[in-house]
Amino acid sequence: QVQLVESGGGLVQPGGSLRLSCAGSGSSFRFNAMGWYRQAPGKQRELVAGITRFGATSYLDSVKGRFTISRDNAKNTVYLQMNSLKPEDTAVYYCNRADASWSWGQGTQVTVSS
């Protein structure tokens, strides 16, 4: 079972940037498509960005042009660079396999507020 640990969240003003990291344990990490998800209070968890094992990416329409997902398979790590942050990006952010079949980590809180 792969364990996932997210980090890098925090409080940022609108227009600011954050870089999230997700470290995974186990050798299978690098062979899987991965995704960043978020869950805002009172809302369902949604897939924000995905990346295949070969680096092809996809994004939720509302974050296109602002967020960039990447991965370093040698480090078993997936990143989410978030620029031009908006208050509506406020949520707990999680990473998981693209089909969300692994156990969830604790997530990392992102708060965008002035």
Side-chain angles (χ1 to χ4, degrees):
Q1 179 71 22
V2 175
Q3 293 187 323
L4 302 165
V5 179
E6 300 92 348
S7 62
L11 173 63
V12 63
Q13 292 186 342
S17 298
L18 285 173
R19 188 192 193 206
L20 307 184
S21 298
C22 169
S25 64
S27 59
S28 63
F29 184 93
R30 66 191 64 189
F31 300 116
N32 287 275
M34 296 295 296
W36 277 100
Y37 299 76
R38 68 185 180 189
Q39 187 167 22
K43 294 187 177 181
Q44 289 190 329
R45 194 171 296 179
E46 62 181 353
L47 178 63
V48 174
I51 187 167
T52 69
R53 57 182 290 197
F54 301 112
T57 59
S58 59
Y59 298 93
L60 187 67
D61 282 348
S62 61
V63 309
K64 282 181 180 177
R66 301 188 297 121
F67 290 11
T68 303
I69 188 171
S70 61
R71 67 190 299 163
D72 184 338
N73 288 336
K75 296 182 178 179
N76 277 5
T77 302
V78 178
Y79 305 97
L80 186 68
Q81 177 67 43
M82 305 187 296
N83 299 328
S84 302
L85 283 161
K86 304 176 180 180
E88 51 264 43
D89 295 319
T90 295
V92 180
Y93 283 71
Y94 305 85
C95 70
N96 206 317
R97 190 178 172 186
D99 64 0
S101 59
W102 288 340
S103 297
W104 295 98
Q106 84 287 350
T108 186
Q109 175 70 49
V110 172
T111 303
V112 185
S113 175
S114 56

